[in-house]
Amino acid sequence: MHPEFDTVLVVDFGAQYAQLIARRVRECQVYSEIVPSSMPGAQILARKPKAIILSGGPASVYATGAPPVPGGLLESGVPILGICYGFQLMVSGLGGAVTRTGTGEYGATQLELLPRDGAGGERGAATSPGGTLLAGLPPR
């Protein structure tokens, strides 16, 4: 690692695109490294990353033996971006709910954002990674 550079660490959960994520970060003139999801959280944090990206993986949070978020990352205060499986881990690890949709969609899905007061919201498109859906936000 190069301590003189701001570093973004990509935690690899087995997705085929962890290399692509790291390359795209580097194309933004930011140093990045890929670390395995089996690396202890304390070791990841000892590298003093400016941000962490939790990559996707071949599993869902419901799969038997699905790898967990390395301990201490979600509570560290370091900005974290979760992509696909990494997003599922963040939501479930922070107390939200991830549910199965029963379908294996990998394309665009309609998304409706409702304001907290329940009045009309905005519409947009999102992706539905591997038949899962955010069903409940984490408490904070």
Side-chain angles (χ1 to χ4, degrees), residues 20-139:
L20 176 62
I21 294 168
R23 187 177 84 214
R24 294 290 188 220
V25 170
R26 290 183 201 117
E27 287 174 358
C28 294
Q29 307 303 309
V30 176
Y31 181 77
S32 67
E33 289 184 12
I34 298 172
V35 297
S37 63
S38 59
M39 179 181 279
Q43 271 187 286
I44 292 172
L45 295 172
R47 294 173 174 234
K48 303 203 181 307
K50 291 293 182 181
I52 297 169
I53 299 174
L54 303 177
S55 77
S60 83
V61 291
Y62 295 109
T64 303
V69 174
L73 292 190
L74 297 178
E75 302 83 17
S76 69
V78 174
I80 299 175
L81 170 66
I83 299 174
C84 287
Y85 178 72
F87 178 71
Q88 292 179 32
L89 285 173
M90 285 180 60
V91 170
S92 63
L94 293 170
V98 177
T99 62
R100 295 181 182 136
T101 63
T103 60
E105 289 184 50
Y106 291 92
T109 301
Q110 279 293 8
L111 172 69
E112 185 173 356
L113 302 175
L114 297 176
R116 293 205 183 262
D117 65 8
E122 299 178 33
R123 285 198 169 280
T127 59
S128 175
T132 59
L133 179 70
L134 168 65
L137 292 173

